[in-house]
């Protein structure tokens, strides 16, 4: 399909919310524990024309929480977007995700793109969240990995019949920026 058709904004039918700070540089508007930091990732310069950077919330090994608001009158499926690597490297820790007091899923942050050492964003369904505020907890299941868990965004979708349970956000690599200490960049649309 032509790019203009693929990028058309719309809804999945019953209303949705998408909060993706991965490409915007805008710090997420979700409350989170103080130990979670907004950081800048560095992509390969030839991959990005207008914006050479990607962004994520870095969740430390001790874990933390974010609070997500479901503004709809009905439950919505929560999808999380996070960074992954290809086997055999395990750069990011396996992460247990809880929805309030209810265990959600365990995320294994690997992909099947056969690009060892490269980092790619991946999106997965976590579980249904009710209307109102839901605390989403993160707990590392293994320690000593090269990097902390990186959360790049989330979505809430009502009609999930045509949405895959898991998919790759993009096929371009994003690497951590180690050139300077500037952890945040804010841009206005």
């Amino acid at each position: 399909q032509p790019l203009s058709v693929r990028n058309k904004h719309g809804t999945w039918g019953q209303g949705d919310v998408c909060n993706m700070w991965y490409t915007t540089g805008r710090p997420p508007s979700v409350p989170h524990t103080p130990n979670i930091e907004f950081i800048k990732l560095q992509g390969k310069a030839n991959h990005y024309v207008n914006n050479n950077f990607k962004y994520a919330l870095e969740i430390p090994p001790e874990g933390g929480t974010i609070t997500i608001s479901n503004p709809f009158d009905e439950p919505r499926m929560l999808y999380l977007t996070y960074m992954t690597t290809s086997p055999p490297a395990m750069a990011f820790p396996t992460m247990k995700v809880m929805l309030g007091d209810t265990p959600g899923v365990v995320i294994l942050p690997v992909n099947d793109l056969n690009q060892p050492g490269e980092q790619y964003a991946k999106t997965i369904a976590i579980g249904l969240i009710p209307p109102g505020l839901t605390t989403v907890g993160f707990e590392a299941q293994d320690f000593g990995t090269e990097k902390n868990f990186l959360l790049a965004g989330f979505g809430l979708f009502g009609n999930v019949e045509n949405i895959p349970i898991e998919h790759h956000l993009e096929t371009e690599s994003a690497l951590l920026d180690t050139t300077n200490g500037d952890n945040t960049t804010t841009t206005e649309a």
Side-chain angles (χ1 to χ4, degrees):
Q1 291 181 340
L3 186 60
S4 61
V5 173
R6 288 195 320 253
N7 287 340
K8 186 176 180 181
H9 293 273
T11 179
W12 290 96
Q14 296 176 331
D16 56 74
V17 170
C18 184
N19 196 330
M20 191 68 61
W21 48 87
Y22 182 61
T23 58
T24 67
R26 288 186 207 113
S29 59
V30 294
H32 54 81
T33 50
N35 64 334
I36 295 177
E37 292 185 49
F38 184 63
I39 65 168
K40 177 173 56 175
L41 308 173
Q42 174 75 47
K44 291 182 178 178
N46 61 349
H47 281 190
Y48 311 113
V49 176
N50 296 321
N51 181 0
N52 194 32
F53 302 104
K54 303 293 182 180
Y55 303 84
L57 283 176
E58 183 179 41
I59 301 174
E62 65 269 17
T65 65
I66 64 173
T67 302
I68 294 179
S69 175
N70 174 359
F72 302 102
D73 293 334
E74 299 172 338
R76 290 291 188 264
M77 180 62 72
L78 171 64
Y79 284 78
L80 294 181
T81 300
Y82 55 95
M83 299 308 296
T84 67
T85 54
S86 294
M90 282 292 294
F92 303 107
T94 301
M95 190 66 66
K96 180 179 177 183
V97 181
M98 286 105 16
L99 301 176
D101 295 333
T102 307
V105 299
V106 173
I107 295 176
L108 182 63
V110 296
N111 63 58
D112 57 2
L113 298 174
N114 288 326
Q115 300 292 326
E118 301 287 325
Q119 299 172 17
Y120 295 89
K122 189 175 189 177
T123 302
I124 188 170
I126 301 299
L128 287 173
I129 64 170
L133 299 177
T134 297
T135 300
V136 180
F138 298 89
E139 250 180 50
Q141 300 299 290
D142 48 8
F143 298 91
T145 56
E146 182 183 332
K147 301 181 184 339
N148 290 332
F149 187 82
L150 298 176
L151 183 65
F154 74 88
L156 299 175
F157 303 102
N159 182 0
V160 296
E161 292 175 9
N162 296 319
I163 303 173
I165 291 175
E166 178 179 304
H167 63 277
H168 295 286
L169 179 64
E170 64 181 0
T171 56
E172 295 176 338
S173 175
L175 303 173
L176 282 177
D177 178 11
T178 57
T179 59
N180 63 47
D182 179 18
N183 286 339
T184 63
T185 301
T186 304
T187 58
E188 293 298 323

